[in-house]
Amino acid sequence: MHVDGDAFFASCEQAANPKLRGKPVVTGAERGIVTAASYEAKAKGVMRGVPLSKVRKLCPDVIFVDSDYALYSDMAEKMFSIMRRYTPYVEEYSIDEAFADLTGFDQPWHATYEQIARRIKEVIEKELEITVSVGLSLSKGLAKIGSKFRKPSGFTPIPVERMDEVLQKTPIEKVWGIGPATASACYRLGLRTAFDFANAEEEDITREFTQPIYDIWCELRGESVHPVNTNPKTSYASISKFETFRPPTADRSLLFSRLVKNLENACAKARRYYLIAPRVAILLRCKDMHTDGLEIVLPRASAFPPEIASNLQTGFEKLYRPGWVYRATGVVLFQLRPEGARQQSLFESPVRWEKWKRVYAAIDQVNAKLGHYTVHLAETTTVRRKEDRDARSSKNLRATKETHYANFHFDPF
């Protein structure tokens, strides 16, 4: 089974703010280009990557909103959680799509695979108030074709007896894993549809293409070459968190507040994977796209923002130029290593480390239960209050969030 969110970012915005439902919504206002468009906007020709200045000409009544990635991540987690109610074999493929293996669950659920898949779709749409499109078949490749076959809110099962019908209606360039170069090679061989490709002779495929393309050929024939991979990603060489904002600003305190917010987001992700960072890079991007950066070597590897923030402030003061107008901030955690590999210095108190560990275990638990940023560093209050004011006063009808923040300073001990 493949579940694919329909216009996911825009749909999340419409779910969060009922006033946006049924209206042409475009996310990406902070970047100046379309990152996602609702189906109402798509119907008027709005596409991803189009500058917002051109969107008004296509769709005069469009509603622009800033991207809210915390909201989108939260919705994605809820969608994946619903899928896991029916099968533990779920592979999170991207923020808005996932594969699930239903094999063998027809007996415990006393239902056919199609009934289970339909039920998952219905529950996601009812509980999250978004729509998803679902494909169901013998392999990932076929299920992916099914989820794209009827959008939005489509459901396309592809049993053996329907494979030819669906593949004949699928252009070769729409097959998952087939890029422009491979599609051109297929056209030269007279293979214009997924059906042509799947019915080509095996020796022709192995002669003309590499192993990954041969695997696609197998998958389109109903042979499951790539099983659902339930293992989450557990290692990262680096973790980066950037934010582009609008309007650009020269406000020192607001910029630093945004930078600390980037740090909190990066550290939260590092803690989820039990990783710590010995190095941090910070970046400030000007209105003219000029970017200044600085790398910081920490006294000790950490994933606790209060331990890093003082170093962050020192680096920020070196980078910040009074009077310059900035449009983006970013933080990168480098050379990540497992938490267990942390070495303490001779003068470092192990008790202090354990205290921070307990504090952030509690913070992460609260934030997971009550929403991102429920508990955060006081230094980010400036930007979070600004975001709440913008949400309440926005003319584009963004949802008003009644958020009560709990703040704490760098050293609670």
Side-chain angles (χ1 to χ4, degrees):
M1 175 185 184
H2 182 253
V3 176
D4 188 14
D6 298 324
F8 188 69
F9 291 177
S11 294
C12 290
E13 297 288 350
Q14 290 173 320
N17 183 0
K19 293 180 180 179
L20 297 177
R21 293 176 188 169
K23 297 181 180 180
V25 176
V26 165
T27 66
E30 79 289 351
R31 297 178 58 193
I33 63 171
V34 177
T35 56
S38 68
Y39 277 88
E40 294 83 1
K42 289 181 178 181
K44 298 186 178 182
V46 179
M47 304 292 289
R48 286 185 61 184
V50 174
L52 299 189
S53 57
K54 295 183 179 180
V55 173
R56 285 284 185 200
K57 298 176 182 178
L58 294 169
C59 184
D61 57 340
V62 68
I63 299 172
F64 296 125
V65 298
D66 293 338
S67 301
D68 185 347
Y69 292 103
L71 169 66
Y72 311 150
S73 296
D74 184 57
M75 291 285 277
E77 290 172 9
K78 290 176 180 176
M79 182 171 76
F80 302 146
S81 178
I82 290 171
M83 295 174 69
R84 289 191 175 95
R85 295 179 197 172
Y86 298 86
T87 171
Y89 305 113
V90 174
E91 178 182 340
E92 300 176 15
Y93 186 68
S94 71
I95 192 171
D96 64 344
E97 58 180 312
F99 292 98
D101 190 347
L102 305 181
T103 306
F105 286 92
D106 53 336
Q107 293 298 320
W109 285 110
H110 304 289
T112 65
Y113 294 131
E114 183 172 332
Q115 289 171 334
I116 297 171
R118 282 190 182 276
R119 180 58 179 161
I120 293 173
K121 180 181 186 299
E122 290 169 0
V123 174
I124 289 173
E125 294 183 342
K126 180 180 179 180
E127 293 190 11
L128 304 186
E129 298 182 297
I130 63 173
T131 64
V132 295
S133 294
V134 172
L136 179 68
S137 195
L138 305 174
S139 68
K140 279 184 175 180
L142 288 171
K144 196 86 157 56
I145 286 177
S147 66
K148 301 290 184 184
F149 201 67
R150 294 189 182 93
K151 270 184 163 287
S153 195
F155 180 80
T156 306
I158 310 177
V160 173
E161 59 270 20
R162 285 201 64 203
M163 284 171 53
D164 288 354
E165 172 198 344
V166 174
L167 292 180
Q168 285 172 350
K169 296 178 180 179
T170 304
I172 188 64
E173 61 270 18
K174 297 296 185 181
V175 173
W176 179 41
I178 299 290
T182 303
S184 296
C186 288
Y187 270 89
R188 288 195 298 271
L189 297 172
L191 310 177
R192 299 183 177 276
T193 67
F195 176 82
D196 297 335
F197 184 78
N199 284 276
E201 294 294 332
E202 182 175 8
E203 60 183 30
D204 293 335
I205 297 297
T206 55
R207 182 182 65 251
E208 298 289 341
F209 300 103
T210 59
Q211 182 65 40
I213 306 303
Y214 174 76
D215 290 346
I216 294 172
W217 179 80
C218 293
E219 290 254 328
L220 295 185
R221 295 168 65 86
E223 302 171 28
S224 182
V225 176
H226 300 294
V228 170
N229 181 8
T230 61
N231 296 323
K233 189 170 183 178
T234 57
S235 63
Y236 290 84
S238 65
I239 291 175
S240 59
K241 292 294 179 180
F242 292 83
E243 182 177 16
T244 302
F245 40 85
R246 196 181 59 141
T249 183
D251 187 311
R252 180 194 298 264
S253 62
L254 182 57
L255 281 167
F256 182 66
S257 186
R258 290 190 180 280
L259 203 61
V260 176
K261 181 184 173 186
N262 297 147
L263 175 67
E264 280 196 310
N265 292 341
C267 286
K269 184 171 182 178
R271 290 194 303 276
R272 284 202 299 272
Y273 297 100
Y274 304 99
L275 299 171
I276 53 177
R279 294 173 179 265
V280 178
I282 61 175
L283 298 99
L284 299 179
R285 178 166 295 162
C286 299
K287 186 178 180 180
D288 63 0
M289 300 302 289
H290 171 79
T291 303
D292 288 322
L294 182 71
E295 186 175 330
I296 302 167
V297 179
L298 301 176
R300 52 190 169 269
S302 180
F304 304 137
E307 286 200 312
I308 302 173
S310 59
N311 297 279
L312 196 78
Q313 185 161 20
T314 301
F316 172 77
E317 295 299 336
K318 292 180 180 179
L319 285 183
Y320 174 75
R321 305 188 189 192
W324 284 43
V325 179
Y326 295 91
R327 70 188 301 270
T329 58
V331 166
V332 184
L333 305 182
F334 279 109
Q335 296 181 1
L336 292 169
R337 63 185 66 162
E339 180 185 290
R342 185 177 191 269
Q343 292 183 341
Q344 295 177 338
S345 68
L346 181 63
F347 303 102
E348 183 182 355
S349 169
V351 175
R352 184 179 179 82
W353 167 264
E354 289 301 323
K355 282 184 176 180
W356 277 126
K357 194 172 180 179
R358 290 199 301 273
V359 165
Y360 267 94
I363 290 172
D364 291 339
Q365 186 176 9
V366 169
N367 287 345
K369 184 175 181 180
L370 300 181
H372 297 283
Y373 318 132
T374 302
V375 182
H376 61 82
L377 290 179
E379 280 67 16
T380 67
T381 302
T382 301
V383 67
R384 298 192 194 284
R385 285 178 176 170
K386 181 181 184 305
E387 289 172 349
D388 280 353
R389 287 196 303 271
D390 291 346
R392 288 192 291 271
S393 63
S394 176
K395 293 181 181 180
N396 62 17
L397 303 179
R398 269 190 73 81
T400 299
K401 299 178 182 179
E402 294 296 334
T403 308
H404 303 281
Y405 292 126
N407 304 327
F408 69 94
H409 291 274
F410 286 159
D411 193 345
F413 306 124

